[in-house]
Amino acid sequence: MPAAQGLLHTGSRLDLTQQGRSTIEASINLSALIQEAVAKEDAFSEYDEVEQLQGGLHHEGCAASAFLTDAIEPEPQHTQSYRNAKRRASRKKRVQENGHAPSKRTKLEHIQLADAVQADVSIANLPAAEGAYGAKNLAESAASREHEYTAEELVAERGFRLVEWDGREAMPITDREGRIFAVLAGRPSDPTYGAACAAAFETISAERDKADFKREECNHRRGQFPALAFGLSQGNGQPSARRLNEGNHASTIRALQGHSSISRIASFGDAAFSTWAPKLYRFYGGYMARVEEKTGETRNFPGSVFACATVNFGPRVRTFKHRDVLNLAFGLCAITALGRFDHKKGGHVILWEAKLVVQFPPGSTILIPSATVTHSNTAIGEHETRASFTQYAGGGVFRWVDNEYQTFEALKKKNRAKYEENIEKNKTRWQEGLKLYSKLSELTADL
């Protein structure tokens, strides 16, 4: 670089000569530039990983910051770390109390620029049960449900569309009316998140090897692999919402809930939910707050609005064709794939009503209405591994709140007028629930 510009490289350091200082000071205001860089650094640190839905946040002042690195004495590292630690603690508390809320920057970078997949389906025609607290059962033979479909077979013989996805960039899936009913949400851009997913998978595998699973827990309508559900539920004769019976798996559940990597995945699923379906997310939050207040129970994970979770342990999870009919009909389920497999060859998620077969890489998260959209997976390779972690809410919890914290039959005996009112609401709840889905234009209206 010419000496007249005042920038001389000596080894790896950047020196400013007196002539250079004069040149720089004449063209820029160093004090203002430093203040701007610090302000941008402060703003940048406000974005935690769960708000970085994918792709990362690019610091617009990075060039100036790099230019000034050796010219300006940096703030002591311990002060910056302490300040960031306080911010992280503040954000964590805010999320636990109020839930996630996408920033304007998240909307700008990840919603406005997202490539939507339009499915040839109207979700109004999906098989919700009356009252929309659940869905209709899948009327197919076991042979049909358990058949091992391949992506190639579905595309060539059944008219499905293959969705190629890297598991990072978010891709909303819309119906004919433009409603976002499913999302390929991706993953945070933080490079440590991949290691967290690997750690979560190792923990799940270790707990699988230690657990004593019954036969029915390993061979069920969703597939042939051990699965364990835990969290808040209501139904099957329960008079109130309460935690599922943990049986002899209490220690396994505590290990899963207490693992920081699994909690991190749960928090990201919640953040994705709040970003792509904010009206539905607030609906969940309102009901879960009332359940917690009434029962004194806590959620599975402090940073997640979902009432329940299931771990599908593997080692080679392939779900059969099924619907989770006890979940809220218009609700969303967050699913995270884990393990080591080639997502271009296997592990796809199949969305049957939408006629989509989607590449689903390990470490990535999707949101689907698991009660009303029939779904399954393609198989992975013989020497590959796959597990999955899902979060959802059973419709019984919402029904219990609507029935004034009692069963429908108890409400009928105690408050006939309210019972009749709820009977009428059952007729329109599905249509009202569909209004809680968002459209891309709504999500970016404030930009």
Side-chain angles (χ1 to χ4, degrees):
M1 185 175 292
Q5 294 182 8
L7 301 180
L8 299 176
H9 286 283
T10 57
S12 61
R13 293 185 57 81
L14 178 64
D15 292 339
L16 297 180
T17 66
Q18 183 62 42
Q19 181 183 3
R21 290 192 184 94
S22 299
T23 303
I24 293 173
E25 290 170 357
S27 59
I28 60 175
N29 185 325
L30 276 178
S31 177
L33 185 57
I34 294 167
Q35 291 177 10
E36 180 184 3
V38 171
K40 288 181 177 178
E41 182 68 25
D42 288 347
F44 178 74
S45 65
E46 288 298 321
Y47 295 88
D48 64 16
E49 66 177 19
V50 293
E51 289 179 319
Q52 299 176 43
L53 292 187
Q54 56 295 114
L57 297 171
H58 303 292
H59 192 342
E60 294 173 354
C62 63
S65 298
F67 179 81
L68 294 170
T69 296
D70 289 334
I72 305 298
E73 184 176 348
E75 187 176 3
Q77 184 62 41
H78 70 273
T79 304
Q80 180 72 12
S81 297
Y82 175 72
R83 184 172 63 187
N84 286 343
K86 287 186 66 176
R87 288 197 180 112
R88 285 194 296 271
S90 176
R91 286 196 299 271
K92 183 177 180 180
K93 182 179 179 181
R94 186 170 65 247
V95 167
Q96 291 178 0
E97 293 177 350
N98 304 312
H100 286 103
S103 66
K104 188 172 183 178
R105 186 163 188 162
T106 293
K107 293 181 181 181
L108 181 65
E109 295 192 358
H110 306 305
I111 298 177
Q112 191 174 57
L113 301 179
D115 292 325
V117 177
Q118 184 174 346
D120 188 19
V121 64
S122 176
I123 58 174
N125 298 325
L126 293 178
E130 184 177 359
Y133 292 117
K136 297 175 182 177
N137 286 314
L138 182 63
E140 286 193 20
S141 67
S144 175
R145 289 187 291 103
E146 297 174 12
H147 179 75
E148 188 174 307
Y149 296 92
T150 66
E152 293 77 13
E153 174 188 357
L154 292 168
V155 171
E157 301 177 14
R158 291 176 172 258
F160 275 64
R161 181 160 37 127
L162 174 65
V163 179
E164 297 180 339
W165 185 45
D166 63 3
R168 298 180 183 277
E169 297 298 326
M171 298 176 68
I173 301 176
T174 61
D175 74 347
R176 295 189 194 114
E177 289 71 42
R179 290 173 290 212
I180 301 171
F181 71 96
V183 183
L184 312 183
R187 69 188 76 176
S189 61
D190 187 333
T192 66
Y193 190 76
C197 289
F201 177 72
E202 293 303 323
T203 296
I204 289 171
S205 299
E207 291 301 322
R208 179 196 67 224
D209 293 340
K210 291 189 294 184
D212 181 20
F213 287 109
K214 299 176 182 178
R215 182 176 180 179
E216 59 268 23
E217 293 173 318
C218 301
N219 192 351
H220 41 83
R221 67 179 184 85
R222 292 183 181 86
Q224 296 176 337
F225 48 82
L228 184 58
F230 52 96
L232 291 168
S233 180
Q234 197 281 327
N236 295 323
Q238 294 176 203
S240 64
R242 64 187 183 191
R243 301 197 73 81
L244 290 168
N245 184 2
E246 298 176 350
N248 63 340
H249 297 306
S251 62
T252 301
I253 292 171
R254 296 292 87 75
L256 297 171
Q257 286 182 305
H259 198 279
S260 60
S261 294
I262 295 176
S263 180
R264 189 175 179 184
I265 293 169
S267 188
F268 176 72
D270 183 89
F273 187 10
S274 74
T275 297
W276 293 99
K279 291 181 290 186
L280 185 57
Y281 180 79
R282 289 192 293 270
F283 179 84
Y284 269 54
Y287 272 80
M288 291 307 109
R290 292 160 72 183
V291 170
E292 289 176 309
E293 182 179 2
K294 186 68 175 180
T295 65
E297 297 281 5
T298 57
R299 303 174 193 180
N300 281 329
F301 303 96
S304 177
V305 76
F306 293 101
C308 227
T310 292
V311 171
N312 297 318
F313 285 84
R316 297 173 63 244
V317 168
R318 176 183 73 87
T319 59
F320 296 153
K321 190 177 180 182
H322 72 286
R323 292 196 291 262
D324 300 301
V325 297
L326 297 181
N327 291 349
L328 186 68
F330 51 87
L332 290 178
C333 171
I335 307 173
T336 301
L338 299 167
R340 303 180 186 89
F341 60 92
D342 186 342
H343 69 277
K344 295 183 179 180
K345 295 181 179 179
H348 304 73
V349 61
I350 307 167
L351 305 179
W352 287 86
E353 285 78 7
K355 301 198 77 171
L356 298 175
V357 54
V358 182
Q359 293 176 351
F360 191 5
S364 57
T365 295
I366 65 173
L367 301 170
I368 66 170
S370 60
T372 52
V373 169
T374 310
H375 53 287
S376 59
N377 299 116
T378 62
I380 60 172
E382 182 179 354
H383 301 293
E384 295 179 320
T385 56
R386 185 179 186 275
S388 61
F389 171 68
T390 68
Q391 297 185 93
Y392 52 93
V397 172
F398 297 87
R399 181 177 54 225
W400 181 71
V401 173
D402 287 340
N403 290 337
E404 299 182 335
Y405 309 106
Q406 57 195 317
T407 65
F408 207 41
E409 288 304 312
L411 177 66
K412 183 178 180 179
K413 294 177 181 178
K414 293 182 180 180
N415 190 338
R416 185 75 185 198
K418 181 65 176 178
Y419 171 81
E420 297 292 346
E421 178 185 330
N422 284 359
I423 289 289
E424 286 301 309
K425 287 183 177 180
N426 281 347
K427 299 175 182 178
T428 59
R429 189 172 291 105
W430 171 240
Q431 287 74 25
E432 293 301 312
L434 294 179
K435 295 177 183 178
L436 297 177
Y437 288 112
S438 299
K439 296 183 178 182
L440 282 170
S441 58
E442 297 171 355
L443 297 180
T444 57
D446 61 342
L447 296 180

